[in-house]
């Protein structure tokens, strides 16, 4: 007689066998039983699957198909999640009112939190505050969502919270919410809870929900790992308004269940907590300073991700490596260390970091192949392409606008020689609709899928800017094959290349600024993977342009050098595009203060331009203008001015007075006038350039702002301090807004403002800002860049103005040595530093050293700059002051009279330097007892100070005090007292 149960068992065996086959494939299945803490997981292979089926057939028969209203005595709690089979032998029923041991099937147990749990006090406090005991009469349900990427510690935080507040709840129901089936099975299992059985609850998930909803005490229902769609959890929420619900998920959309206000993203740990976790997991109880320092480096490399730290500690504790050489092993064998099978998972997570993200990615791949609808499959395919493209960009500031711009360029341009795989990915990723507009919805659907698994996150209040966790970013590269890496690196490269435009609109400037780290990440991937000929010279040229415009001159130089070599090899040295690339390289040299290299290359390019293109070709004129700029940087003012005047005439003749190249040359000529102290000529030209820039480019264009900043500097040297400050503040604000706080142009405008504060004797503001400028110059340009040296010199001047003579002298000596080393002993900037140091000696009473250095500086100024250049006049005035302090009044008077005449002639009778010279001469008269001459001059100085600076300016007050002393020395006590 046949067994009536046999067909049912065969069906079950077939279902379970199919489930095993799908889960395992050719991989191993992990089976987990209750075991002592720290014991290893057990693994089986498909070859023993039949024995498992035989062994557990009766158990699964009773567990999965319990007759309605019946019980299955002796069955164990069995649950399958992902590829882990959980077999619970003894079930603990968690409840404040009733805690008993029960051998009934299905009653799910809550895991214990990890013994290594560390930190997260802020999150725990947020949960405790949210689920605080209710006030009298409060009967509303409380819900909360913890969301974040896999491995960030959501479940462990939840477990620790439940442990801390277990006494607050009559029941804690812990449900594995990784799928709709596991939720249903977990709820169904609650029907075997003693209280549920006593209430006569039938065995079904619906009955369990009704029972939970009927409880009048405080209960907590936890949906752990609810990574699916929100509606999966929503259908299992008990009815009623009582109780508490806590959800953990990778998908922030679960906020629809709890409300988005009651949601919290779990991010990386605090650094000190992360270090402590690593040391605990490594079982390193002796924490020397060296061990702590190494642990800090590991923590930063692993971005404070709890699962990665737990795994690193397990690897160290198991002897796979030591804490001293972990980072070395990680750099060489990242895949093995991040996915090592011996990792036990002390946090009871039971997956390595890479397994965690593989699980999410494999689910997306399954959606792309076997999704229930075409829309869902397309979204998953988009998600895969976006994630793999992001792998070869920087992990932060991934912007949608780049894809939109690239899509529009691809619609107009055909890329020849593109590999078929790359072309397929590009066409799929940058989908265009019938009207040739970008299919933005396709991209956004892919983003939505990635965000639902917390593989990326939005990092801005405005949509369209995303980030990938650094470890996920590295994992997404490492999981690819070599050929796949090469293809996807080219896809990401083509996205970047095709979204770069040289039109200087505000939108493009902002976009190019964001592209800088992506460009660097992309071409560095080429080097790291040893790929050749992934980039061509035109692509490198676009990258170099963006880096150059954003002040990343070292990186731009590296790429531009490659471009020159490629073009020489491909087209020869006389091809116009080769000459352009050589000229661009020379400009990059000049921007870095490498003036000798720039001059040598520019002279070479100039000869070739004249031969190949002709002496009046626009490219030849640009090279001439660039060479003049290099002469200016070298302090060869006369050569620079002569060449710029020639180029200006040719530009007007060939291109017209309003051509951008003509304006650029005019601005450079104005700068040359300024550096020579020809402030009136500089101002006149700068005002003209400024008007044309505003008219042609707009008031906020970078070239307009540079001109405005230069004009502010001219006003400052002319003594128009208020106008200079107002302009400098405006330029600085615009530069920060458009270019960022670390762009060289921004730093230049900051330096102008700091110098304005110095001239106004606002020493505290000047010092604070100048210190910031100096730090940024060192960081962005390097410690020996000419602009860095100028910043150091300006700071020394501020120290001197504040009476910090020792600090000023120490810094000035350092700056002088660097100037001589980098620019030479006769460079104008070197001479300026010599003058400042000589003044510092004088203020400290070191008159012999001051006189010796000032005489040397003055001789060089007359030789290099000429006898009437403002720097020369300042040097003469400083020397006269030194003579006066030494009691050499006749030498001082003779020199001061000469300086005053030259100041009036060169700078004008009301220039601040002229007024200072008058005051110095008056002081010498007073020291000689020539009180009438001193009084006459001091009255004139006071009137000019009041007129130019105002009655309360420090210089005005000093002039009043000097005049009062002269009155007193003459016995005019009433006048002295009044003054």
């Amino acid at each position: 007689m046949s067994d009536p149960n046999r067909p049912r068992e065969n069906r079950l065996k077939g279902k379970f066998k199919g489930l095993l086959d799908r889960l395992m494939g050719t991989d191993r299945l992990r089976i987990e039983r209750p075991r002592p803490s720290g014991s290893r997981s057990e693994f089986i292979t498909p070859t023993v699957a039949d024995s498992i089926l035989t062994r557990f057939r009766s158990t699964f028969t009773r567990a999965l198909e319990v007759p309605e209203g019946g019980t299955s005595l002796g069955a164990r709690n069995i649950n399958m999640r992902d590829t882990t089979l959980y077999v619970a032998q003894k079930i603990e029923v968690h409840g404040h009112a009733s805690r008993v041991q029960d051998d009934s099937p299905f009653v799910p147990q809550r895991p214990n939190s990890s013994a290594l749990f560390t930190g997260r006090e802020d999150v725990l406090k947020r949960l405790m505050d949210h689920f605080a005991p209710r006030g009298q009469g409060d009967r509303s349900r409380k819900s909360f969502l913890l969301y974040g990427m896999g491995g960030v510690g959501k479940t462990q935080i939840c477990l620790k919270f439940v442990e801390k507040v277990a006494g607050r709840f009559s029941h804690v129901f812990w449900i594995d919410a990784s799928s709709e089936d596991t939720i249903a099975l977990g709820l169904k299992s609650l029907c075997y809870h003693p209280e549920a059985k006593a209430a006569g609850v039938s065995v079904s998930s619906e009955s369990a929900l009704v029972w939970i909803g009927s409880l009048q005490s405080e209960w907590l229902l936890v949906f752990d790992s609810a990574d699916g769609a929100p509606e999966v959890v929503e259908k299992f929420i008990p009815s009623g308004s009582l109780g508490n619900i806590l959800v953990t998920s990778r998908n922030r959309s679960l906020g629809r269940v709890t409300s988005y206000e009651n949601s919290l993203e779990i991010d990386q740990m605090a650094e000190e907590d992360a270090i402590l976790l690593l040391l605990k997991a490594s079982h390193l109880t002796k924490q020397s300073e060296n061990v702590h320092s190494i642990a800090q480096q590991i923590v930063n490399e692993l971005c404070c991700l709890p699962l990665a730290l737990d795994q690193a500690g397990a690897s160290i504790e198991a002897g796979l490596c030591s804490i001293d050489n972990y980072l070395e092993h990680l750099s060489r064998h990242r895949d093995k260390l991040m996915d090592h099978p011996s990792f036990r998972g002390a946090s009871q997570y039971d997956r390595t970091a890479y397994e965690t993200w593989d699980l999410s990615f494999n689910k997306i791949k399954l959606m792309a192949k076997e999704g229930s609808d075409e829309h869902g499959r397309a979204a998953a395919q988009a998600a895969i392409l976006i994630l793999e493209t992001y792998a070869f960009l920087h992990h932060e500031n991934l912007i949608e606008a780049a894809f939109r711009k690239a899509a529009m360029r691809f619609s107009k341009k055909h890329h020849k020689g593109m590999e078929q795989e790359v072309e397929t990915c590009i066409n799929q990723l940058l989908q265009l609709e019938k009207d040739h507009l970008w299919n933005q919805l396709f991209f956004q659907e892919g983003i939505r899928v990635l965000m639902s698994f917390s593989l990326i996150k939005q990092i801005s209040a405005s949509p369209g800017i995303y980030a990938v966790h650094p470890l996920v970013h590295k994992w997404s590269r490492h999981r690819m094959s070599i050929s796949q890496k090469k293809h996807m690196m080219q896809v990401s490269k083509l996205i970047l290349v095709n979204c770069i435009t040289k039109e200087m609109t505000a939108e493009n400037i902002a976009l190019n600024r964001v592209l800088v780290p992506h460009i660097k990440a992309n071409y560095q991937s080429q080097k790291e993977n040893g790929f050749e000929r992934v980039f061509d010279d035109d692509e490198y040229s676009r990258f170099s342009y963006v880096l150059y415009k954003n002040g990343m001159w070292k990186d731009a130089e590296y790429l531009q050098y490659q471009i020159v070599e490629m073009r020489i090899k491909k087209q020869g040295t006389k091809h116009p595009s080769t000459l352009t690339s050589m000229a661009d390289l020379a400009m990059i040299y000049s921007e870095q203060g490498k003036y000798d290299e720039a001059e040598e290359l520019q002279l070479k390019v100039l000869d070739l331009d004249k031969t190949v293109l002709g002496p009046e070709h626009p490219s030849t004129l640009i090279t001439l203008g660039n060479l003049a700029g290099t002469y200016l940087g070298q302090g060869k003012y006369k050569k620079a001015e002569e060449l710029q005047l020639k180029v200006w005439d040719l530009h007007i003749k060939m291109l017209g007075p309003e051509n951008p190249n003509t304006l650029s040359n005019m601005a450079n000529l104005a700068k040359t006038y300024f550096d020579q102290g020809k402030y009136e000529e500089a101002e006149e030209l700068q005002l003209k350039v400024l008007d044309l820039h505003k008219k042609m480019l707009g008031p906020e264009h970078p070239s307009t702002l540079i001109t405005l900043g230069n004009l502010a500097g001219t006003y400052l040297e002319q003594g128009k301090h208020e106008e200079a400050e107002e302009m400098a503040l405006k330029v600085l604000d615009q530069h920060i807004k458009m270019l960022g706080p670390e762009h060289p142009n921004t730093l230049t405008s900051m330096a102008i403002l700091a110098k304005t504060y110095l001239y106004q004797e606002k020493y505290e503001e000047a010092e604070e800002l100048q210190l910031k400028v100096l730090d940024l110059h060192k960081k962005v340009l390097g410690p020996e860049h000419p602009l860095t040296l100028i910043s150091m010199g300006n700071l020394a001047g501020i120290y001197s103005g504040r009476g910090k003579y020792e600090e000023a002298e120490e810094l000035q000596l350092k700056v002088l040595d660097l100037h001589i080393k980098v620019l030479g002993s006769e460079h104008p900037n070197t001479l300026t530093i010599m003058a400042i140091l000589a003044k510092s000696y004088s203020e400290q009473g070191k008159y012999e050293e001051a006189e010796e250095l000032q005489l040397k500086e003055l001789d060089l100024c007359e030789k290099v700059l000429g006898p009437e250049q403002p720097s020369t006049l300042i040097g003469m005035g400083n020397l006269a002051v030194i003579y006066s302090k030494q009691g050499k009044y006749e030498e001082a008077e003779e020199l001061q009279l000469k300086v005053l005449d030259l100041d009036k002639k060169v700078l004008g009778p009301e220039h601040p330097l002229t007024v200072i010279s008058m005051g110095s001469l008056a002081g010498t008269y007073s020291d000689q007892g020539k009180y009438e001459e001193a009084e006459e001059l001091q009255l004139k100085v006071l009137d000019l100070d009041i007129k130019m600076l105002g009655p309360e300016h420090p210089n005005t007050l000093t002039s009043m005090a000097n005049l009062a002393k002269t009155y007193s020395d003459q016995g005019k006590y009433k006048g002295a007292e009044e003054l």
Side-chain angles (χ1 to χ4, degrees), residues 751-770:
I752 292 172
L753 182 60
K755 195 172 183 181
T756 303
Y757 289 150
L758 172 64
Y759 279 29
Q760 293 174 309
E761 298 191 5
K762 299 177 181 178
Y763 294 121
E764 289 186 9
E765 295 95 320
E767 181 177 345
E768 181 181 355
L769 192 56
Q770 192 61 54

Side-chain angles (χ1 to χ4, degrees), residues 504-710:
M504 296 291 281
T505 64
E507 181 186 0
N508 288 337
I509 291 169
L511 176 62
N512 288 346
R513 177 182 162 196
V514 175
L515 292 180
V516 168
H518 299 307
I519 288 171
K520 293 174 69 175
N522 195 254
Y523 74 69
Q524 284 169 358
S525 295
Q526 178 190 10
K527 294 170 61 180
E528 290 171 3
N529 290 282
F531 297 140
E532 295 181 1
R533 295 301 299 162
V534 175
F535 296 85
D536 63 30
D537 55 306
D538 290 332
E539 292 165 346
Y540 262 154
S541 180
R542 286 183 176 274
F543 285 0
S544 177
Y545 167 80
V546 173
L547 294 169
Y548 174 78
K549 285 296 183 180
N550 282 278
M552 309 296 291
W553 294 322
K554 288 183 180 178
D555 297 289
E557 180 189 342
Y558 169 80
L559 292 186
Q560 197 63 40
Y561 189 84
Q562 310 296 318
I563 295 165
V564 171
E565 286 197 329
M566 289 179 190
R567 290 184 176 173
I568 289 175
K569 185 176 180 181
K570 183 168 63 174
Q571 300 162 158
T573 56
K574 295 184 178 181
H575 192 280
S577 65
T578 306
L579 297 179
T580 298
S581 64
M582 291 168 70
D584 290 342
L585 178 59
M587 274 297 295
I588 294 170
Y589 284 152
S590 186
E591 293 287 11
Q592 295 179 86
K594 299 179 179 180
Y595 299 123
D596 291 344
E597 295 95 319
E599 180 184 2
E600 182 181 355
L601 189 55
Q602 284 164 341
L603 287 169
K604 182 178 180 179
V605 173
L606 182 60
D607 287 342
L608 289 168
D609 278 343
K610 288 178 178 177
T611 302
V612 176
L613 304 173
E616 296 186 353
H617 190 278
S619 294
T620 307
L621 300 186
I622 290 172
T623 303
L624 277 167
N626 292 343
L627 179 60
T630 299
Y631 287 153
L632 184 61
Q634 292 172 311
K636 301 174 182 178
Y637 298 138
K638 291 183 179 179
K639 291 182 74 172
E641 181 181 351
E642 181 182 344
L643 195 54
Q644 284 165 341
L645 285 167
K646 180 180 178 181
V647 174
W648 188 17
D649 288 340
L650 288 169
H651 267 124
I652 292 173
K653 173 185 173 183
M654 303 298 297
L655 304 174
E658 296 186 358
N659 182 275
N661 290 338
T662 307
L663 296 183
S664 177
N665 187 75
M666 289 172 66
N668 291 337
L669 178 58
K671 178 75 167 58
T672 303
Y673 285 152
F674 174 87
D675 286 344
Q676 295 178 87
K678 300 177 180 180
Y679 300 127
E680 290 185 6
E681 294 94 322
E683 180 187 358
E684 181 182 354
L685 205 51
Q686 284 166 344
L687 285 169
K688 186 175 181 180
V689 173
L690 182 61
D691 287 340
L692 288 169
H693 272 147
K694 286 180 178 179
K695 173 185 173 183
M696 298 176 63
L697 304 174
E700 296 184 357
H701 190 278
S703 297
T704 308
L705 295 179
I706 289 172
T707 304
L708 193 60
N710 291 340

Side-chain angles (χ1 to χ4, degrees), residues 54-305:
T54 301
R55 182 177 177 185
F56 294 122
R57 179 178 60 194
S58 61
T59 301
F60 273 86
T61 300
R62 291 191 295 272
L64 296 175
E65 297 192 12
V66 177
E68 187 173 351
T71 58
S72 180
L73 299 175
R76 299 178 180 181
N77 183 30
I78 300 174
N79 181 17
M80 181 170 285
R81 183 175 67 196
D82 308 322
T83 58
T84 303
L85 186 66
Y86 294 88
V87 183
Q89 292 173 308
K90 292 246 180 176
I91 309 300
E92 179 184 352
V93 178
H94 293 278
H96 177 58
S98 173
R99 289 190 174 93
V100 299
Q101 295 286 325
D102 191 276
D103 285 333
S104 299
F106 293 107
V107 182
Q109 60 176 337
R110 168 173 58 85
N112 293 320
S113 67
S114 170
L116 301 180
F117 185 89
T118 305
R120 303 293 197 178
E121 295 299 328
D122 56 335
V123 182
L124 292 171
K125 185 178 186 304
R126 175 81 181 271
L127 290 174
M128 289 180 184
D129 290 344
H130 183 77
F131 291 107
R134 303 171 192 274
Q136 189 174 5
D138 183 2
R139 306 284 286 173
S140 60
R141 176 172 292 170
K142 295 182 179 181
S143 302
F144 202 86
L145 168 67
L146 298 179
Y147 71 94
M149 62 182 288
V152 80
K154 303 180 294 293
T155 297
Q156 283 299 312
I157 292 170
C158 192
L159 287 169
K160 178 58 72 172
F161 164 70
V162 171
E163 284 183 8
K164 283 179 172 286
V165 298
R168 187 178 296 174
F169 303 107
S170 62
H171 304 78
V172 175
F173 306 116
W174 189 275
I175 301 297
D176 171 10
S178 55
S179 71
E180 185 171 346
D181 289 339
T182 59
I183 296 174
L185 184 59
L187 289 170
K188 189 176 180 181
S189 304
L190 292 180
C191 296
Y192 292 94
H193 189 289
E195 293 183 29
K197 290 198 294 184
V201 174
S202 61
V203 182
S204 69
S205 58
E206 293 83 359
S207 298
L209 291 172
V210 171
W211 171 63
I212 294 172
S214 69
L215 295 172
Q216 296 300 301
S217 56
E218 281 291 299
W219 50 264
L220 174 64
L221 175 58
V222 180
F223 290 101
D224 184 38
S225 300
D227 298 328
E231 52 266 24
V232 173
V233 173
E234 281 179 322
K235 66 191 294 185
F236 292 107
I237 299 296
S239 61
S241 60
L242 298 179
N244 304 273
I245 296 173
L246 178 57
V247 183
T248 71
S249 177
R250 300 177 198 182
N251 189 352
R252 69 170 186 170
S253 296
L254 267 291
R256 283 169 44 187
V257 177
T258 64
S259 84
Y260 287 104
E261 292 78 11
N262 296 329
S263 302
L264 179 65
E265 182 177 12
I266 305 302
D267 210 337
Q268 62 194 40
M269 302 179 71
E271 184 181 90
E272 282 304 314
D273 290 338
I275 292 171
L276 183 56
L277 174 59
L278 175 64
L279 294 174
K280 281 183 183 179
S282 305
H283 194 58
L284 293 172
T285 54
K286 295 182 179 179
Q287 299 176 18
S288 66
E289 185 175 335
N290 183 53
V291 167
H292 188 276
S293 175
I294 295 170
Q296 184 179 33
Q297 295 174 44
I298 295 173
V299 159
N300 289 328
E301 177 64 26
L302 297 178
C303 305
C304 298
L305 186 70

Side-chain angles (χ1 to χ4, degrees), residues 679-680 683 713-720 910-912 948:
Y679 300 127
E680 290 185 6
E683 180 187 358
T714 301
Y715 283 160
L716 181 62
E717 296 300 334
Q718 290 175 307
K720 303 174 183 178
E910 296 185 356
H911 190 278
M948 304 293 293

Side-chain angles (χ1 to χ4, degrees), residues 42 51 332 365 445 614 786:
E42 299 177 23
S51 64
R332 296 171 58 190
K365 286 172 66 177
E445 282 296 293

Side-chain angles (χ1 to χ4, degrees), residues 453-516:
F453 286 92
S454 286
L455 289 174
I456 68 169
K457 66 177 181 178
Q458 186 173 311
I459 60 171
S460 172
S462 56
I465 305 177
Y466 308 98
V468 180
H469 191 279
L471 293 186
V472 174
H473 190 245
K474 291 177 181 177
W475 156 82
S476 62
R477 283 200 305 274
H478 290 149
R479 52 164 294 278
M480 298 183 198
S481 64
I482 294 296
S483 61
Q484 192 179 11
K485 285 180 181 179
K486 185 174 182 180
H487 293 149
M488 294 314 299
M489 188 174 70
Q490 292 185 74
V491 169
S492 59
K493 172 201 68 175
L494 290 171
I495 298 294
L496 292 173
V497 166
N498 284 278
C499 73
I500 295 170
T501 54
K502 295 187 178 181
E503 185 182 359
M504 296 291 281
T505 64
E507 181 186 0
N508 288 337
I509 291 169
L511 176 62
N512 288 346
R513 177 182 162 196
V514 175
L515 292 180
V516 168

